[in-house]
Amino acid sequence: MVLLYRMRLQDIQGLISCDKIKMKNVSHLLFLLLSLPFIFGSCRDNETKEEISSIDSLYRAVLSADSLIRYVDVEKISGYKEEIVTNMGYIQKNFNDSMTNELRILLTDYYAIRKPLRVLLSRTEFYMQELNYSKEQLQNLKHDIEQGTIEKEQFSKHLETENQAISGLVKEIRQYTDVLNTKIEFFIRTNPSILELIRKLKEEKESIKD
């Protein structure tokens, strides 16, 4: 009887032990299930941060190019172009002596920069429009990824498209401003010599009148 009691007691203890194990496993399972949203949410948050960081990097490149374009003083450069035309018109009309080779080269180079200045200035408005469009596209893409309204594959395609477009545009703008600055520097460097020549021509003209 005692032996039977002990056997039943062991059976009961075994069942309790099994129930404890089962309850422990169930607890672990519930904890895992409850943790999954946080785990996946954390992974998604990290992915979103990386995607936003990529957008911000492109946006900074656009702003850098934008500052280069806004630094271009269209009104002043237009004035340079007009001054070149006016100065050369006066020289051609009033210069009657033989011209040295050095002066001929100076006048040729001086007059030649008017066309590049005109062409380059005509591109300024186009570049500003393109940069504004790129900023708008990036802002929309950032909004979509923050709101979770765009799939990762679709986002990657859009980002790559914008990356290629912006990289090409920024490169072209840098080349544009480099050439423009070179032409402006040449004008500033040579214009005093041109003005001095015009001054002498005016003096000669006044002396002939006297």
PDB file of all heavy atoms in Angstrom, residues 86-107:
ATOM      1  N   THR A  86      30.852  96.715 -76.317  1.00  0.00           N
ATOM      2  CA  THR A  86      30.995  98.174 -76.420  1.00  0.00           C
ATOM      3  C   THR A  86      32.454  98.577 -76.643  1.00  0.00           C
ATOM      4  O   THR A  86      32.764  99.406 -77.526  1.00  0.00           O
ATOM      5  CB  THR A  86      30.464  98.855 -75.149  1.00  0.00           C
ATOM      6  OG1 THR A  86      29.091  98.514 -74.972  1.00  0.00           O
ATOM      7  CG2 THR A  86      30.613 100.368 -75.237  1.00  0.00           C
ATOM      8  N   ASN A  87      33.349  98.006 -75.849  1.00  0.00           N
ATOM      9  CA  ASN A  87      34.770  98.347 -75.958  1.00  0.00           C
ATOM     10  C   ASN A  87      35.345  97.970 -77.318  1.00  0.00           C
ATOM     11  O   ASN A  87      36.077  98.759 -77.944  1.00  0.00           O
ATOM     12  CB  ASN A  87      35.564  97.660 -74.851  1.00  0.00           C
ATOM     13  CG  ASN A  87      35.279  98.247 -73.475  1.00  0.00           C
ATOM     14  OD1 ASN A  87      34.730  99.343 -73.362  1.00  0.00           O
ATOM     15  ND2 ASN A  87      35.638  97.517 -72.435  1.00  0.00           N
ATOM     16  N   MET A  88      35.004  96.763 -77.771  1.00  0.00           N
ATOM     17  CA  MET A  88      35.532  96.319 -79.064  1.00  0.00           C
ATOM     18  C   MET A  88      34.935  97.136 -80.208  1.00  0.00           C
ATOM     19  O   MET A  88      35.607  97.414 -81.209  1.00  0.00           O
ATOM     20  CB  MET A  88      35.237  94.833 -79.263  1.00  0.00           C
ATOM     21  CG  MET A  88      36.102  93.927 -78.416  1.00  0.00           C
ATOM     22  SD  MET A  88      37.879  94.139 -78.703  1.00  0.00           S
ATOM     23  CE  MET A  88      38.015  93.701 -80.443  1.00  0.00           C
ATOM     24  N   GLY A  89      33.691  97.552 -80.062  1.00  0.00           N
ATOM     25  CA  GLY A  89      33.078  98.399 -81.078  1.00  0.00           C
ATOM     26  C   GLY A  89      33.804  99.726 -81.200  1.00  0.00           C
ATOM     27  O   GLY A  89      34.051 100.214 -82.320  1.00  0.00           O
ATOM     28  N   TYR A  90      34.182 100.298 -80.063  1.00  0.00           N
ATOM     29  CA  TYR A  90      34.900 101.571 -80.080  1.00  0.00           C
ATOM     30  C   TYR A  90      36.292 101.405 -80.694  1.00  0.00           C
ATOM     31  O   TYR A  90      36.734 102.241 -81.490  1.00  0.00           O
ATOM     32  CB  TYR A  90      35.014 102.124 -78.661  1.00  0.00           C
ATOM     33  CG  TYR A  90      35.631 103.495 -78.611  1.00  0.00           C
ATOM     34  CD1 TYR A  90      34.832 104.634 -78.739  1.00  0.00           C
ATOM     35  CD2 TYR A  90      37.009 103.667 -78.469  1.00  0.00           C
ATOM     36  CE1 TYR A  90      35.386 105.910 -78.723  1.00  0.00           C
ATOM     37  CE2 TYR A  90      37.579 104.938 -78.459  1.00  0.00           C
ATOM     38  CZ  TYR A  90      36.758 106.053 -78.582  1.00  0.00           C
ATOM     39  OH  TYR A  90      37.327 107.310 -78.575  1.00  0.00           O
ATOM     40  N   ILE A  91      36.989 100.341 -80.315  1.00  0.00           N
ATOM     41  CA  ILE A  91      38.343 100.102 -80.828  1.00  0.00           C
ATOM     42  C   ILE A  91      38.317  99.894 -82.337  1.00  0.00           C
ATOM     43  O   ILE A  91      39.137 100.465 -83.087  1.00  0.00           O
ATOM     44  CB  ILE A  91      38.982  98.893 -80.109  1.00  0.00           C
ATOM     45  CG1 ILE A  91      39.244  99.234 -78.636  1.00  0.00           C
ATOM     46  CG2 ILE A  91      40.282  98.478 -80.798  1.00  0.00           C
ATOM     47  CD1 ILE A  91      39.672  98.060 -77.787  1.00  0.00           C
ATOM     48  N   GLN A  92      37.418  99.053 -82.810  1.00  0.00           N
ATOM     49  CA  GLN A  92      37.320  98.785 -84.253  1.00  0.00           C
ATOM     50  C   GLN A  92      37.019 100.057 -85.044  1.00  0.00           C
ATOM     51  O   GLN A  92      37.502 100.244 -86.173  1.00  0.00           O
ATOM     52  CB  GLN A  92      36.246  97.733 -84.515  1.00  0.00           C
ATOM     53  CG  GLN A  92      36.637  96.338 -84.055  1.00  0.00           C
ATOM     54  CD  GLN A  92      35.479  95.351 -84.143  1.00  0.00           C
ATOM     55  OE1 GLN A  92      34.327  95.732 -84.316  1.00  0.00           O
ATOM     56  NE2 GLN A  92      35.801  94.064 -83.993  1.00  0.00           N
ATOM     57  N   LYS A  93      36.276 100.948 -84.464  1.00  0.00           N
ATOM     58  CA  LYS A  93      35.882 102.180 -85.149  1.00  0.00           C
ATOM     59  C   LYS A  93      36.987 103.227 -85.141  1.00  0.00           C
ATOM     60  O   LYS A  93      37.124 104.019 -86.097  1.00  0.00           O
ATOM     61  CB  LYS A  93      34.629 102.747 -84.479  1.00  0.00           C
ATOM     62  CG  LYS A  93      34.060 103.974 -85.170  1.00  0.00           C
ATOM     63  CD  LYS A  93      32.799 104.440 -84.469  1.00  0.00           C
ATOM     64  CE  LYS A  93      32.233 105.688 -85.154  1.00  0.00           C
ATOM     65  NZ  LYS A  93      30.985 106.156 -84.480  1.00  0.00           N
ATOM     66  N   ASN A  94      37.810 103.232 -84.110  1.00  0.00           N
ATOM     67  CA  ASN A  94      38.760 104.329 -83.931  1.00  0.00           C
ATOM     68  C   ASN A  94      40.231 103.932 -84.030  1.00  0.00           C
ATOM     69  O   ASN A  94      41.091 104.824 -84.042  1.00  0.00           O
ATOM     70  CB  ASN A  94      38.527 105.003 -82.575  1.00  0.00           C
ATOM     71  CG  ASN A  94      37.172 105.666 -82.481  1.00  0.00           C
ATOM     72  OD1 ASN A  94      36.968 106.775 -82.984  1.00  0.00           O
ATOM     73  ND2 ASN A  94      36.220 104.982 -81.835  1.00  0.00           N
ATOM     74  N   PHE A  95      40.526 102.675 -84.107  1.00  0.00           N
ATOM     75  CA  PHE A  95      41.937 102.261 -84.189  1.00  0.00           C
ATOM     76  C   PHE A  95      42.344 102.218 -85.664  1.00  0.00           C
ATOM     77  O   PHE A  95      41.878 101.369 -86.424  1.00  0.00           O
ATOM     78  CB  PHE A  95      42.129 100.888 -83.542  1.00  0.00           C
ATOM     79  CG  PHE A  95      43.570 100.534 -83.319  1.00  0.00           C
ATOM     80  CD1 PHE A  95      44.170 100.838 -82.105  1.00  0.00           C
ATOM     81  CD2 PHE A  95      44.318  99.927 -84.302  1.00  0.00           C
ATOM     82  CE1 PHE A  95      45.503 100.516 -81.885  1.00  0.00           C
ATOM     83  CE2 PHE A  95      45.652  99.609 -84.086  1.00  0.00           C
ATOM     84  CZ  PHE A  95      46.249  99.909 -82.872  1.00  0.00           C
ATOM     85  N   ASN A  96      43.260 103.112 -86.043  1.00  0.00           N
ATOM     86  CA  ASN A  96      43.648 103.220 -87.447  1.00  0.00           C
ATOM     87  C   ASN A  96      45.111 102.879 -87.686  1.00  0.00           C
ATOM     88  O   ASN A  96      45.533 102.755 -88.848  1.00  0.00           O
ATOM     89  CB  ASN A  96      43.374 104.646 -87.954  1.00  0.00           C
ATOM     90  CG  ASN A  96      41.894 104.998 -87.863  1.00  0.00           C
ATOM     91  OD1 ASN A  96      41.048 104.197 -88.235  1.00  0.00           O
ATOM     92  ND2 ASN A  96      41.600 106.193 -87.346  1.00  0.00           N
ATOM     93  N   ASP A  97      45.888 102.733 -86.633  1.00  0.00           N
ATOM     94  CA  ASP A  97      47.313 102.443 -86.793  1.00  0.00           C
ATOM     95  C   ASP A  97      47.535 100.954 -87.037  1.00  0.00           C
ATOM     96  O   ASP A  97      46.620 100.136 -86.916  1.00  0.00           O
ATOM     97  CB  ASP A  97      48.086 102.882 -85.546  1.00  0.00           C
ATOM     98  CG  ASP A  97      48.055 104.382 -85.364  1.00  0.00           C
ATOM     99  OD1 ASP A  97      47.874 105.088 -86.372  1.00  0.00           O
ATOM    100  OD2 ASP A  97      48.196 104.835 -84.206  1.00  0.00           O
ATOM    101  N   SER A  98      48.782 100.637 -87.366  1.00  0.00           N
ATOM    102  CA  SER A  98      49.140  99.221 -87.509  1.00  0.00           C
ATOM    103  C   SER A  98      49.105  98.562 -86.133  1.00  0.00           C
ATOM    104  O   SER A  98      49.447  99.191 -85.127  1.00  0.00           O
ATOM    105  CB  SER A  98      50.538  99.087 -88.123  1.00  0.00           C
ATOM    106  OG  SER A  98      51.489  99.741 -87.311  1.00  0.00           O
ATOM    107  N   MET A  99      48.713  97.337 -86.105  1.00  0.00           N
ATOM    108  CA  MET A  99      48.512  96.623 -84.834  1.00  0.00           C
ATOM    109  C   MET A  99      49.620  95.599 -84.623  1.00  0.00           C
ATOM    110  O   MET A  99      49.945  94.822 -85.523  1.00  0.00           O
ATOM    111  CB  MET A  99      47.146  95.923 -84.854  1.00  0.00           C
ATOM    112  CG  MET A  99      46.719  95.362 -83.517  1.00  0.00           C
ATOM    113  SD  MET A  99      45.046  94.638 -83.622  1.00  0.00           S
ATOM    114  CE  MET A  99      44.053  96.106 -83.920  1.00  0.00           C
ATOM    115  N   THR A 100      50.220  95.582 -83.434  1.00  0.00           N
ATOM    116  CA  THR A 100      51.246  94.595 -83.112  1.00  0.00           C
ATOM    117  C   THR A 100      50.593  93.218 -82.958  1.00  0.00           C
ATOM    118  O   THR A 100      49.387  93.109 -82.689  1.00  0.00           O
ATOM    119  CB  THR A 100      51.970  94.944 -81.803  1.00  0.00           C
ATOM    120  OG1 THR A 100      51.029  94.885 -80.722  1.00  0.00           O
ATOM    121  CG2 THR A 100      52.580  96.339 -81.878  1.00  0.00           C
ATOM    122  N   ASN A 101      51.383  92.204 -83.115  1.00  0.00           N
ATOM    123  CA  ASN A 101      50.869  90.838 -82.979  1.00  0.00           C
ATOM    124  C   ASN A 101      50.350  90.589 -81.563  1.00  0.00           C
ATOM    125  O   ASN A 101      49.327  89.931 -81.369  1.00  0.00           O
ATOM    126  CB  ASN A 101      51.969  89.828 -83.318  1.00  0.00           C
ATOM    127  CG  ASN A 101      51.434  88.409 -83.412  1.00  0.00           C
ATOM    128  OD1 ASN A 101      50.459  88.161 -84.116  1.00  0.00           O
ATOM    129  ND2 ASN A 101      52.067  87.490 -82.686  1.00  0.00           N
ATOM    130  N   GLU A 102      51.045  91.140 -80.581  1.00  0.00           N
ATOM    131  CA  GLU A 102      50.634  90.976 -79.189  1.00  0.00           C
ATOM    132  C   GLU A 102      49.268  91.609 -78.944  1.00  0.00           C
ATOM    133  O   GLU A 102      48.400  91.007 -78.293  1.00  0.00           O
ATOM    134  CB  GLU A 102      51.674  91.619 -78.272  1.00  0.00           C
ATOM    135  CG  GLU A 102      51.361  91.466 -76.793  1.00  0.00           C
ATOM    136  CD  GLU A 102      52.405  92.117 -75.912  1.00  0.00           C
ATOM    137  OE1 GLU A 102      53.367  92.705 -76.447  1.00  0.00           O
ATOM    138  OE2 GLU A 102      52.253  92.045 -74.664  1.00  0.00           O
ATOM    139  N   LEU A 103      49.068  92.805 -79.486  1.00  0.00           N
ATOM    140  CA  LEU A 103      47.781  93.480 -79.314  1.00  0.00           C
ATOM    141  C   LEU A 103      46.676  92.752 -80.072  1.00  0.00           C
ATOM    142  O   LEU A 103      45.552  92.640 -79.570  1.00  0.00           O
ATOM    143  CB  LEU A 103      47.876  94.928 -79.810  1.00  0.00           C
ATOM    144  CG  LEU A 103      46.609  95.767 -79.691  1.00  0.00           C
ATOM    145  CD1 LEU A 103      46.127  95.827 -78.237  1.00  0.00           C
ATOM    146  CD2 LEU A 103      46.821  97.171 -80.252  1.00  0.00           C
ATOM    147  N   ARG A 104      46.997  92.226 -81.232  1.00  0.00           N
ATOM    148  CA  ARG A 104      45.996  91.500 -82.021  1.00  0.00           C
ATOM    149  C   ARG A 104      45.514  90.264 -81.259  1.00  0.00           C
ATOM    150  O   ARG A 104      44.307  89.971 -81.227  1.00  0.00           O
ATOM    151  CB  ARG A 104      46.592  91.098 -83.370  1.00  0.00           C
ATOM    152  CG  ARG A 104      45.575  90.403 -84.298  1.00  0.00           C
ATOM    153  CD  ARG A 104      46.191  90.036 -85.642  1.00  0.00           C
ATOM    154  NE  ARG A 104      46.523  91.231 -86.407  1.00  0.00           N
ATOM    155  CZ  ARG A 104      47.761  91.692 -86.590  1.00  0.00           C
ATOM    156  NH1 ARG A 104      48.792  91.053 -86.030  1.00  0.00           N
ATOM    157  NH2 ARG A 104      47.982  92.769 -87.298  1.00  0.00           N
ATOM    158  N   ILE A 105      46.458  89.549 -80.657  1.00  0.00           N
ATOM    159  CA  ILE A 105      46.087  88.350 -79.879  1.00  0.00           C
ATOM    160  C   ILE A 105      45.232  88.734 -78.680  1.00  0.00           C
ATOM    161  O   ILE A 105      44.234  88.070 -78.369  1.00  0.00           O
ATOM    162  CB  ILE A 105      47.360  87.603 -79.420  1.00  0.00           C
ATOM    163  CG1 ILE A 105      48.091  87.004 -80.634  1.00  0.00           C
ATOM    164  CG2 ILE A 105      47.007  86.507 -78.417  1.00  0.00           C
ATOM    165  CD1 ILE A 105      49.433  86.393 -80.294  1.00  0.00           C
ATOM    166  N   LEU A 106      45.616  89.820 -78.004  1.00  0.00           N
ATOM    167  CA  LEU A 106      44.862  90.281 -76.835  1.00  0.00           C
ATOM    168  C   LEU A 106      43.425  90.617 -77.219  1.00  0.00           C
ATOM    169  O   LEU A 106      42.476  90.185 -76.557  1.00  0.00           O
ATOM    170  CB  LEU A 106      45.543  91.508 -76.230  1.00  0.00           C
ATOM    171  CG  LEU A 106      44.768  92.211 -75.101  1.00  0.00           C
ATOM    172  CD1 LEU A 106      44.586  91.277 -73.912  1.00  0.00           C
ATOM    173  CD2 LEU A 106      45.471  93.499 -74.693  1.00  0.00           C
ATOM    174  N   LEU A 107      43.258  91.385 -78.299  1.00  0.00           N
ATOM    175  CA  LEU A 107      41.922  91.795 -78.716  1.00  0.00           C
ATOM    176  C   LEU A 107      41.088  90.607 -79.189  1.00  0.00           C
ATOM    177  O   LEU A 107      39.882  90.542 -78.926  1.00  0.00           O
ATOM    178  CB  LEU A 107      42.022  92.840 -79.824  1.00  0.00           C
ATOM    179  CG  LEU A 107      42.607  94.195 -79.407  1.00  0.00           C
ATOM    180  CD1 LEU A 107      42.757  95.108 -80.630  1.00  0.00           C
ATOM    181  CD2 LEU A 107      41.746  94.858 -78.343  1.00  0.00           C
TER     182      LEU A 107
END
